[in-house]
């Protein structure tokens, strides 16, 4: 395996993607809540974790086909680096695709380093963390001299050994998300920093409430002065006679004059809970995931055709745009007329019942699977004589009419 010649060594440095270094210098995205927003703090929010996992995991589960357009306009499968982009000892194809889309969904950029063998053949694509790559435009001197980087931009990369090196598009494939300058994709961690900061602050406030707040069922006030020992005994008796499932429906008796005041949820606390629910919907809006996929079923339909249509909408409006960014950039690594494309057939397939009914209508009710083909779908071995299509049984004969019954009966027999 051969790494390309490094154009310029800058200096020894720590990786800027190191969470400890980011926390030390407070490099998290500034927001109104005052909570530092970083990759680790955002992924600690369950709604963000689930949104990224749903999109990245679903796209990673789709087959990534390498195809070629033939002379007659048809497409046929071919082999390419994308059959196993992580290499022989690297991540699996699923893990590689999932990580690539996680980089896009969180940082708005995905960087693939080209690892080649001694013959110059591409053997793997190593994913670089977006926080470890800085995009630099060419200088005026480089424009005047004509020594421009391939692709029109430089990539200053912090390597694993702490050193920095500069590459161009010959060695790195860059997949940007939505961009305003065409150089670098916009990071959701930066754009949504206020919404994410509010959600993170809500999590911290909830944790603080449980650790330091007054979470009791009520207050008991004695109507007469008591010694500390008596107070402890009354509390023990109340907990023994009131708490627990075995005291459900029982009558508690305490030999003291006490006043019980229930500890109820205030309007401020109720509004706090509503704000936490709203933060889930806000995060779902940023990533385009329906709240039901984030296990938020309040005020949302969670059964029947509604869910099916929502999943189809996710494929058309969310998964497809991310997939096309990935496909078009990586297709440039293949010689024309080859290209890569995700296979959405399994994701868009209807339910098995609807699919069978549709196929039966299109074939006029004729059989479409042999016994062995059906057994293969169930991972069962074939049986002898199971490769023949079994014709459907003949339709039942129509019931005879009254006139036909009389003719069949004939004249009555003579006595």
């Amino acid at each position: 395996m051969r790494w390309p010649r490094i154009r310029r060594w800058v200096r020894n440095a720590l990786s800027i993607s190191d969470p400890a270094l980011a926390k030390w210098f407070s490099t998290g995205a500034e927001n109104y809540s005052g909570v530092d927003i970083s990759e680790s703090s955002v992924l600690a929010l369950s709604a963000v974790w689930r949104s990224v996992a749903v999109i990245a995991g679903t796209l990673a589960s789709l087959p990534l086909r390498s195809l070629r357009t033939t002379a007659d306009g048809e497409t046929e499968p071919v082999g390419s680096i994308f059959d196993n982009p992580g290499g022989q000892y690297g991540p699996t194809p699923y893990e590689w695709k999932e990580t690539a889309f996680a980089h896009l969904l969180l940082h708005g950029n995905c960087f693939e380093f080209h690892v080649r063998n001694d013959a110059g053949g591409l053997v793997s694509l190593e994913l670089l963390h977006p926080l470890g790559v800085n995009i630099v435009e060419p200088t005026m001197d480089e424009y005047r001299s004509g020594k421009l980087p391939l692709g029109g931009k430089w990539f200053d990369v912090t390597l694993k050994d702490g050193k920095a090196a500069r590459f161009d598009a010959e060695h790195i494939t860059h997949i940007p998300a939505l961009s305003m300058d065409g150089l670098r994709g916009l990071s959701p961690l930066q754009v949504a920093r206020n919404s994410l900061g509010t959600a993170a602050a809500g999590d911290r406030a909830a944790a603080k409430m449980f650790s330091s707040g007054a979470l009791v069922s009520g207050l008991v006030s004695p109507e007469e002065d008591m010694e500390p020992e008596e107070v402890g005994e009354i509390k023990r008796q109340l907990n023994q006679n009131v708490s627990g499932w075995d005291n459900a429906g029982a009558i508690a008796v305490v030999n003291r004059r006490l006043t019980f005041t229930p500890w109820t949820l205030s309007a401020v606390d109720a509004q706090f809970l509503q704000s936490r629910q709203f933060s889930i919907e806000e995060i779902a809006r940023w990533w385009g995931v329906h709240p039901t996929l984030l296990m938020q079923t309040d005020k949302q339909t969670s059964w029947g055709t509604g869910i099916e249509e929502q999943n189809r909408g996710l494929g058309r409006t969310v998964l497809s745009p991310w997939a096309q960014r990935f496909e078009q950039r990586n297709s440039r690594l293949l010689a024309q007329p080859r290209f890569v494309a995700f296979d959405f057939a399994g994701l868009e397939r209807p339910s098995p019942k609807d699919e069978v009914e549709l196929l039966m209508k299109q074939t006029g009710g004729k059989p479409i699977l042999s016994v062995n083909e059906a057994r293969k779908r169930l991972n069962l071995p074939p049986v002898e004589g199971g490769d023949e299509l079994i014709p459907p049984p003949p339709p039942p004969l129509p019931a005879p009419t009254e006139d036909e019954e009389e003719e069949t009966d004939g004249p009555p027999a003579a006595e």
Side-chain angles (χ1 to χ4, degrees):
M1 183 180 298
R2 176 177 63 87
W3 285 71
R5 181 177 63 86
I6 298 174
R7 296 178 179 272
R8 183 186 303 173
W9 293 99
V10 182
R11 63 184 183 278
N12 294 339
L14 292 175
S15 174
I16 61 175
S17 63
D18 189 345
L21 184 64
K23 183 178 181 180
W24 179 266
F25 288 102
S26 297
T27 57
E30 296 182 358
N31 57 88
Y32 298 145
S33 68
V35 179
D36 287 338
I37 295 302
S38 62
E39 181 182 272
S40 57
S41 64
V42 164
L43 287 176
L45 300 173
S46 60
V48 175
W49 176 277
R50 181 61 180 167
S51 298
V52 174
V54 165
I55 299 176
T58 303
L59 287 170
S61 65
L62 298 178
L64 182 60
R65 311 291 189 191
S66 298
L67 305 172
R68 177 177 58 189
T69 304
T70 60
D72 55 0
E74 300 293 333
T75 58
E76 61 181 9
V78 294
S80 76
I81 182 63
F82 294 101
D83 296 337
N84 188 18
Q88 182 178 2
Y89 302 105
T92 64
Y94 178 91
E95 295 167 348
W96 187 89
K97 289 181 288 184
E98 186 182 40
T99 303
F101 282 111
H103 288 174
L104 276 170
L105 292 166
L106 289 175
H107 301 281
N109 297 274
C110 176
F111 299 96
E112 304 168 359
F113 190 88
H114 307 166
V115 180
R116 302 182 182 275
N117 54 22
D118 293 335
L122 194 61
V123 294
S124 68
L125 296 171
E126 182 177 347
L127 296 175
L128 305 176
H129 197 285
L131 294 181
V133 180
N134 185 34
I135 299 177
V136 181
E137 295 184 78
T139 63
M140 291 303 301
D141 293 338
E142 289 173 332
Y143 275 108
R144 293 190 185 99
S145 63
K147 298 179 179 179
L148 297 176
L150 187 65
K153 51 190 174 184
W154 294 107
F155 301 99
D156 288 346
V157 181
T158 303
L159 303 178
K160 295 179 180 180
D161 58 0
K163 296 181 180 180
R166 174 165 287 190
F167 304 99
D168 59 9
E170 181 182 358
H171 307 297
I172 292 179
T173 294
H174 175 212
I175 307 174
L178 177 65
S179 176
M180 295 292 103
D181 57 6
L183 292 176
R184 192 178 188 96
L186 295 176
S187 170
L189 299 188
Q190 294 288 335
V191 179
R193 60 187 180 274
N194 289 322
S195 298
L196 297 174
T198 301
D203 269 10
R204 295 188 181 186
K208 189 68 175 177
M209 178 186 297
F210 280 100
S211 63
S212 303
L215 299 177
V216 295
S217 59
L219 298 177
V220 175
S221 304
E223 298 183 4
E224 54 189 19
D225 294 337
M226 295 183 181
E227 297 295 332
E229 295 79 5
E230 293 180 305
V231 174
E233 179 63 20
I234 290 175
K235 180 179 179 181
R236 186 191 66 80
Q237 292 182 17
L238 286 174
N239 289 331
Q240 181 179 357
N241 298 331
V242 176
S243 303
W245 60 269
D246 52 340
N247 290 319
I251 300 176
V253 178
V254 181
N255 190 18
R256 291 291 190 275
R257 297 183 63 183
L258 304 173
T259 301
F260 177 76
T261 303
W263 192 274
T264 58
L265 187 67
S266 66
V268 176
D269 295 333
Q271 189 176 11
F272 171 71
L273 294 178
Q274 292 176 357
S275 67
R276 296 204 67 202
Q277 293 177 352
F278 175 76
S279 67
I280 297 178
E281 298 179 1
E282 186 77 354
I283 291 173
R285 188 178 297 114
W286 277 107
W287 273 273
V289 178
H290 198 272
T292 54
L293 295 177
L294 306 183
M295 315 308 168
Q296 178 75 358
T297 57
D298 295 344
K299 303 178 183 178
Q300 309 289 341
T301 176
S302 57
W303 61 277
T305 57
I307 287 294
E308 294 181 5
E309 292 302 323
Q310 291 166 13
N311 292 339
R312 293 182 185 276
L314 179 71
R316 291 190 296 266
T317 62
V318 179
L319 301 182
S320 180
W322 287 115
Q324 290 191 34
R325 292 181 185 276
F326 188 90
E327 294 167 351
Q328 294 177 10
R329 285 285 179 174
N330 282 310
S331 293
R332 296 180 178 181
L333 295 176
L334 305 180
Q336 295 293 333
R338 297 190 299 170
F339 61 95
V340 293
F342 283 98
D343 187 356
F344 278 82
L347 187 65
E348 299 175 349
R349 179 174 297 172
S351 64
K353 179 182 178 182
D354 295 338
E355 185 177 14
V356 170
E357 291 179 352
L358 177 62
L359 291 175
M360 293 296 290
K361 290 180 180 179
Q362 293 177 343
T363 58
K366 297 180 180 179
I368 55 177
L369 289 177
S370 65
V371 173
N372 284 339
E373 289 173 335
R375 291 177 61 87
K376 184 178 180 181
R377 287 176 172 265
L378 299 176
N379 294 323
L380 296 176
V383 295
E384 185 178 356
D387 294 328
E388 300 293 333
L389 290 176
I390 302 177
L397 296 175
T401 62
E402 295 181 357
D403 296 339
E404 292 176 342
E405 289 181 353
E406 293 179 356
E407 293 178 358
T408 303
D409 294 342
E415 296 182 358

